[in-house]
Amino acid sequence: MTVARTVELEGHIIDSGTMGMCFGVVMDMGGEFEVEEFEVGRHKHAETYCRMRVMAETEEELRAILHELNQQGATVADPRDATLEAAPEDGVVPVEFYSTTNHPTYVRVDGEYVEVEDVEMDCALIVDRASPEDPQRVDDAESDDGTRVYTKVLNAVEEGDLVVTGETGIRVEPPERPRNGGGSFGFMQGGVSSERPSASLIEEIADEMREVRENDGNVLVVCGPAIVHSGGRNALADIVRAGYIDGLSAGNGFAVHDLERDLYGTSLGVDTESLEHPRKGHKHHIYTISEIARLGGIEAAVDEGIIDEGVMYECIENDVPYVLAGSIRDDGPLPDTITDSIEAQNAIREQAQEADIVLMLSTLLHSVAVGNCLPSTTKTVCVDINPATVTQLLDRGSAQAIGMVTDIGTFIPMLRDELLE
């Protein structure tokens, strides 16, 4: 017996490719569809509407198809309130919980759509029917009666939390192509190419950073150790000092090599100017960790005058908050490095939710980690000499990222010159 549901698509669904992707999803998953109504937007700002009936052999197959269509922005027609089920215990969600995308999302509760706070991929949706007097409620994302809907990572779910299950009552709005034509940041133009016009794209990135600063926005930079190895450290320090960076996210390695460069003039034991290997240079990174630990941390080392240049120095001097997330491979690590992975995730998540534009500079693992926390509306630039870094970021769901395949030691000085000229 065939089962069916009707879904609706609305917006610039033709030129953005949404309609074609939805048709493909149904067919690829073994279903069938029938377009019941189709109204094409006939001028630049007009939206297109499509209503289609989706059919499958079983209820389970239909649910799977509807889930994929929902991720593309399709909404079940004649919507009902979202289905809510209490979490059975801490860290455990109901079996058919709704797993989020990173797109703006709305959940229908008590007949009203409520915007989801802190949108992030791969989370559960929690509904909190808070009273209007609740001091914890968030005024710009709640319904008139004080109801809130927000994301939680699975390990943070508490027993009794009302978790959204199934696909009913959920509306997802993927970003669409802007009608003014836009530029590289205009629409999900993620892609990897070494043929991009680097100078013009860097100019556009600089313009975006200026605009963010003028509007009291937030620029987050995600840093890999290659910045120091390749000679981009001083240029990045200049950008931080000039006030264009509002937060820094990195691993233990980046901070260690930046500090090593100040203390010993080397990065991983190699003189970044002469490319020579000083005697005992291979021990400089561990000596650096020991010295910073002896002083009590990076800020203490700056206060003592031991560290007087570099990216971490400028972060301390200019009150730029940073998160150093540890890994199983870290030497030391530095006292400032967060070694608890859940604590580090939460710190990164807080940074990511505040960012208006993110620069991911030559670090695969950290770029993916931060990218997983970003809404699809956050402008993202990923720069790496290895195309696979950008590809993996895009494959993990950060489709809004612009990829630049270039040497980071060339990119950062060019960006510095563009910003500060």
Side-chain angles (χ1 to χ4, degrees):
M1 184 180 74
T2 301
V3 291
R5 291 291 295 275
T6 300
V7 299
E8 297 174 313
L9 289 162
E10 192 168 7
H12 302 292
I13 59 176
I14 298 177
D15 54 354
S16 67
T18 300
M19 189 173 69
M21 286 188 288
C22 287
F23 290 169
V25 163
V26 177
M27 293 185 290
D28 291 344
M29 298 184 70
E32 298 179 2
F33 68 88
E34 178 183 336
V35 176
E36 299 179 333
E37 185 177 351
F38 187 45
E39 299 177 5
V40 179
R42 298 184 180 278
H43 58 81
K44 183 176 181 179
H45 299 288
E47 296 185 341
T48 296
Y49 173 81
C50 177
R51 178 185 177 96
M52 68 178 181
R53 186 172 178 80
V54 181
M55 295 151 283
E57 291 296 323
T58 67
E59 196 68 49
E60 183 178 357
E61 291 175 356
L62 181 60
R63 279 200 303 269
I65 293 172
L66 292 176
H67 174 78
E68 293 302 320
L69 291 175
N70 175 272
Q71 313 296 288
Q72 301 295 335
T75 304
V76 175
D78 188 23
R80 295 163 288 174
D81 284 351
T83 304
L84 307 180
E85 187 175 337
E89 57 184 281
D90 290 353
V92 178
V93 293
V95 174
E96 293 187 357
F97 80 100
Y98 178 83
S99 178
T100 58
T101 71
N102 59 353
H103 303 314
T105 304
Y106 300 81
V107 176
R108 195 173 190 266
V109 183
D110 299 329
E112 180 182 355
Y113 276 103
V114 183
E115 185 177 2
V116 174
E117 303 170 23
D118 298 335
V119 172
E120 179 182 340
M121 69 176 74
D122 301 331
C123 291
L125 288 175
I126 308 300
V127 174
D128 182 3
R129 286 191 173 100
S131 66
E133 292 78 20
D134 185 350
Q136 298 299 317
R137 68 194 186 115
V138 180
D139 293 336
D140 62 355
E142 63 187 7
S143 66
D144 292 339
D145 64 0
T147 298
R148 296 173 57 207
V149 185
Y150 50 92
T151 58
K152 266 191 179 183
V153 291
L154 300 194
N155 63 62
V157 171
E158 301 176 30
E159 180 180 354
D161 279 347
L162 289 179
V163 181
V164 176
T165 60
E167 314 299 323
T168 302
I170 301 168
R171 190 174 77 227
V172 176
E173 297 184 354
E176 294 184 331
R177 186 185 306 276
R179 309 317 298 159
N180 61 4
S184 299
F185 290 101
F187 166 76
M188 311 268 290
Q189 304 220 8
V192 188
S193 174
S194 57
E195 300 301 320
R196 290 185 181 273
S198 298
S200 61
L201 186 52
I202 289 172
E203 182 179 351
E204 187 175 348
I205 293 168
D207 288 341
E208 290 287 338
M209 293 174 68
R210 290 191 193 97
E211 184 176 346
V212 168
R213 186 170 74 161
E214 290 168 1
N215 293 315
D216 296 323
N218 185 287
V219 177
L220 174 63
V221 62
V222 183
C223 301
I227 292 172
V228 184
H229 307 334
S230 64
R233 165 185 179 262
N234 291 341
L236 182 57
D238 291 341
I239 295 172
V240 175
R241 183 168 58 251
Y244 284 101
I245 304 298
D246 302 288
L248 181 144
S249 183
N252 185 71
F254 169 78
V256 171
H257 299 318
D258 175 64
L259 298 166
E260 176 192 338
R261 181 70 178 85
D262 191 9
L263 291 176
Y264 297 100
T266 60
S267 175
L268 270 184
V270 178
D271 188 311
T272 56
E273 299 295 333
S274 66
L275 300 183
E276 295 179 352
H277 295 255
R279 184 172 177 273
K280 292 188 177 181
H282 63 287
K283 297 185 178 182
H284 287 173
H285 77 286
I286 202 69
Y287 289 164
T288 297
I289 295 168
S290 174
E291 186 63 19
I292 299 300
R294 189 188 338 274
L295 294 167
I298 300 173
E299 185 172 0
V302 171
D303 291 342
E304 290 287 332
I306 304 300
I307 298 298
D308 59 9
E309 66 174 25
V311 179
M312 300 310 300
Y313 169 81
E314 296 297 344
C315 285
I316 296 295
E317 287 294 285
N318 294 280
D319 296 320
V320 174
Y322 56 85
V323 171
L324 303 180
S327 81
I328 195 68
R329 304 167 300 165
D330 287 338
D331 293 318
L334 292 165
D336 304 68
T337 300
I338 303 173
T339 56
D340 183 298
S341 61
I342 301 301
E343 183 183 347
Q345 280 182 18
N346 290 336
I348 290 172
R349 184 169 289 112
E350 184 176 344
Q351 279 190 320
Q353 290 292 341
E354 293 177 353
D356 295 296
I357 181 171
V358 181
L359 306 182
M360 298 176 171
L361 307 178
S362 200
T363 169
L364 170 58
L365 297 180
H366 234 75
S367 294
V368 172
V370 175
N372 287 351
C373 299
L374 292 174
S376 63
T377 51
T378 302
K379 295 173 180 178
T380 305
V381 181
C382 182
V383 184
D384 203 289
I385 196 67
N386 184 359
T389 298
V390 190
T391 300
Q392 186 162 339
L393 177 68
L394 300 177
D395 288 346
R396 282 289 299 131
S398 300
Q400 78 275 18
I402 296 170
M404 280 191 67
V405 180
T406 189
D407 175 35
I408 198 67
T410 301
F411 171 83
I412 299 178
M414 289 178 68
L415 179 61
R416 185 259 324 267
D417 293 345
E418 185 65 39
L419 286 168
L420 307 185
E421 67 176 357

